[in-house]
């Protein structure tokens, strides 16, 4: 009997989950018999749900909050970068085995690669120290970045990320407590907003001295629902090359698509579908 191949997302239910939009539109565009499901999995039910992937012949699954960290213990293999981050957001099933990957930081790196931005030996300023900051900084470190300055409002969280980077990767990382208007150092090559500032309130931008940004700096935002955040607008006015979080989100979804199907993802179709949902 004919059955569509199943993928989807396990986690807390959210309205308008962007992964549903970008993955399903990609499957349909490529005429693949695949369906993306949103499945609410409560905290205590994760192991049973993960076992169910094998039992129900799933192709793979995305993992979102609150399971990104807990899920590692139930997998057969975890990619090295995801092990360092301690978080997985994508699983694929191959020959009955479960493989864990983290595509968030990889989606960010694909933006830089597609824009011909070199990373080896570069200096990065990273605003924020949460899950996305961790994923991005580990990938930047693995790509040969020289130094990462982690700027964060909660000291312990920032210091924890710096300690992780210094102990588990070859990058040099230092911490700056973000209790003031932060001035970006002159030697900086890449500046990243990895906080949620600008996501809900589009009038907000990170508390930095914008005059300290120079035109040769590359400026990136993770905010997934707006291509033109105030942060990026300020950088564009200065003349910087910029990368938005909507493309990063599409890229991380494209990498998941590629892991599940073995095919190149139709990224432009995915981006257009996402922009329509977010009205941008
Ligand atoms: P977390 O909650 O794990 O981390 C957020 C970080 O931002 C923390 O370091 C937090 O500091 C800091 N922060 C929060 N509010 C402020 C503020 N007002 N001023 C300064 N710092 C602040 O979130 P995630 O890392 O998971 O997500 C961050 C953003 O990335 C979200 O907007 C999310 O939508 C987006 N995202 C984008 C993706 C993409 O592909 N484009 C993928 C996934 C997420 P502290 O905790 O120390 O208070």
């Amino acid at each position: 009997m004919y059955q569509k191949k199943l993928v989807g997302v396990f986690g807390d239910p959210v309205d308008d989950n962007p992964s549903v939009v970008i993955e399903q539109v990609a499957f349909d565009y490529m005429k693949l018999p695949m369906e993306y499901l949103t499945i609410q999995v409560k905290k205590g039910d994760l192991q049973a749900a993960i076992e169910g992937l094998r039992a129900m012949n799933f192709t793979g699954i995305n993992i979102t909050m609150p399971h990104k960290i807990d899920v590692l213990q139930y997998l057969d293999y975890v990619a090295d970068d995801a092990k360092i981050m301690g978080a997985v957001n994508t699983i694929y099933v191959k020959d009955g085995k479960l493989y864990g990957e983290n595509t968030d930081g990889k989606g960010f790196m694909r933006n830089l690669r597609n824009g011909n931005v070199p990373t080896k030996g570069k200096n990065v300023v990273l605003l924020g120290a949460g899950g996305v900051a961790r994923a991005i900084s580990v990938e930047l470190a693995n790509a040969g970045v020289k130094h990462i300055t982690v700027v964060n409002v909660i000291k312990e969280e920032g210091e924890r990320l710096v300690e992780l980077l210094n102990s588990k990767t070859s990058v040099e990382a230092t911490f700056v407590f973000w209790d003031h208007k932060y001035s970006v150092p002159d030697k900086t090559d890449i500046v990243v907003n990895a906080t949620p500032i600008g996501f809900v309130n589009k009038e907000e931008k990170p508390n930095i001295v914008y005059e300290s940004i120079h035109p040769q700096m590359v400026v990136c935002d993770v905010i997934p629902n707006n291509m033109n955040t105030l942060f990026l607008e300020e950088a564009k006015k200065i003349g910087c090359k910029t990368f938005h979080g909507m493309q990063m989100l599409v890229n991380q979804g494209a990498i998941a698509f590629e892991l599940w199907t073995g095919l190149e993802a139709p990224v432009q179709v995915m981006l257009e579908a996402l922009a329509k949902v977010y009205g941008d």
Side-chain angles (χ1 to χ4, degrees), residues 70-102:
D70 290 347
V71 75
L72 268 77
Q73 61 191 308
Y74 305 125
L75 304 177
D76 298 304
Y77 302 97
V78 176
D80 287 344
D81 54 352
K83 260 190 217 155
I84 297 175
M85 294 164 204
V88 156
N89 76 342
T90 303
I91 295 169
Y92 62 98
V93 189
K94 198 171 148 201
D95 301 329
K97 301 280 186 211
L98 303 174
Y99 293 77
E101 294 271 352
N102 194 315

Side-chain angles (χ1 to χ4, degrees), residues 65 68 89 103-104 107-108 127-134 151-155 157-158 178 193-197 199 204 206-207 221-225 244-252:
M65 297 317 286
K68 282 184 169 185
N89 76 342
T103 64
D104 282 335
F108 173 87
L127 306 174
V132 165
R134 195 161 59 236
V151 183
N152 200 49
V153 289
I154 293 186
K155 204 161 174 260
E157 196 182 351
W178 200 0
N193 173 37
T195 76
I197 300 168
F199 185 60
E204 270 184 359
N207 184 26
D221 208 335
V222 300
I223 298 304
N225 65 346
H244 58 76
M246 207 182 275
Q247 185 70 59
M248 172 184 160
L249 184 76
V250 165
N251 291 349
Q252 65 77 33

Side-chain angles (χ1 to χ4, degrees), residues 9-104:
V9 57
F10 283 171
D12 285 341
V14 288
D15 291 337
D16 299 332
N17 186 318
S19 294
V20 183
V21 175
I22 59 177
E23 299 298 353
Q24 195 60 53
V25 81
F27 297 145
D28 295 346
Y29 179 80
M30 301 283 282
K31 299 194 170 31
L32 298 173
M34 294 183 72
E35 184 145 0
Y36 192 96
L37 306 171
T38 43
I39 302 165
Q40 181 180 11
V41 175
K42 294 195 181 128
K43 229 173 174 347
D45 295 331
L46 182 62
Q47 184 173 9
I50 292 293
E51 281 307 317
L53 291 175
R54 276 193 258 257
M56 290 186 285
N57 201 23
F58 267 62
T59 299
I61 201 87
N62 282 136
I63 302 291
T64 187
M65 297 317 286
H67 304 306
K68 282 184 169 185
I69 296 169
D70 290 347
V71 75
L72 268 77
Q73 61 191 308
Y74 305 125
L75 304 177
D76 298 304
Y77 302 97
V78 176
D80 287 344
D81 54 352
K83 260 190 217 155
I84 297 175
M85 294 164 204
V88 156
N89 76 342
T90 303
I91 295 169
Y92 62 98
V93 189
K94 198 171 148 201
D95 301 329
K97 301 280 186 211
L98 303 174
Y99 293 77
E101 294 271 352
N102 194 315
T103 64
D104 282 335

Side-chain angles (χ1 to χ4, degrees), residues 227-239:
M227 293 183 188
N228 306 302
T229 58
L230 277 187
F231 177 62
L232 293 183
E233 289 300 305
E234 292 286 354
K236 280 183 225 166
K237 270 192 250 160
I238 295 160

